[in-house]
Amino acid sequence: MSLIIAAIRSGTDPVAPLPPASFHRTLEDPIYCPKCEATYVLVVDYDHAISRHFADDSRRHLSILRKAVTQGHSTDHRISHFETNGVVVTSHTAPQPQPLPPLPRHIM
């Protein structure tokens, strides 16, 4: 099973489902945007997080997520959920709220 790490902006809910796992663990070290106050919390499978080689196995994933967060600064951090499983970072944006249709006017 490959290692999947999700970075979720603090103060927001995950937009997409979290990585498939029995239990999730939030890592202690979040990712900060170096230019502003955006903070992303890292969520990973509990079994991977407690393994002996997690620090070595997750190094590539974390560097790619840091780069994605830094590049997200140019779009004002509209993306609230990043997910990577090694090479590709998938970004999930919250759906835009749809305006309500106008109410019909009944003439009496």
Side-chain angles (χ1 to χ4, degrees):
M1 185 158 124
S2 64
L3 176 64
I4 299 174
I5 300 177
I8 303 165
R9 187 170 181 183
S10 62
T12 62
D13 292 329
V15 177
L18 292 175
S22 300
F23 297 102
H24 294 99
R25 181 176 183 189
T26 302
L27 299 181
E28 296 172 1
D29 298 327
I31 296 177
Y32 300 104
C33 177
K35 300 177 182 177
C36 64
E37 297 178 4
T39 304
Y40 287 82
V41 178
L42 300 171
V43 177
V44 67
D45 177 16
Y46 182 79
D47 293 333
H48 284 293
I50 63 169
S51 72
R52 175 186 295 177
H53 304 288
F54 178 73
D56 295 330
D57 294 343
S58 65
R59 185 173 295 145
R60 182 175 183 174
H61 300 277
L62 296 176
S63 66
I64 291 173
L65 284 172
R66 280 189 193 99
K67 184 176 180 180
V69 167
T70 304
Q71 290 179 345
H73 180 76
S74 63
T75 60
D76 199 25
H77 295 287
R78 284 185 301 210
I79 299 171
S80 63
H81 185 149
F82 290 105
E83 186 174 301
T84 183
N85 92 8
V87 181
V88 178
V89 173
T90 307
S91 57
H92 304 282
T93 56
Q96 296 293 332
Q98 297 293 330
L100 296 175
L103 296 174
R105 299 179 103 186
H106 295 289
I107 302 175
M108 290 190 188

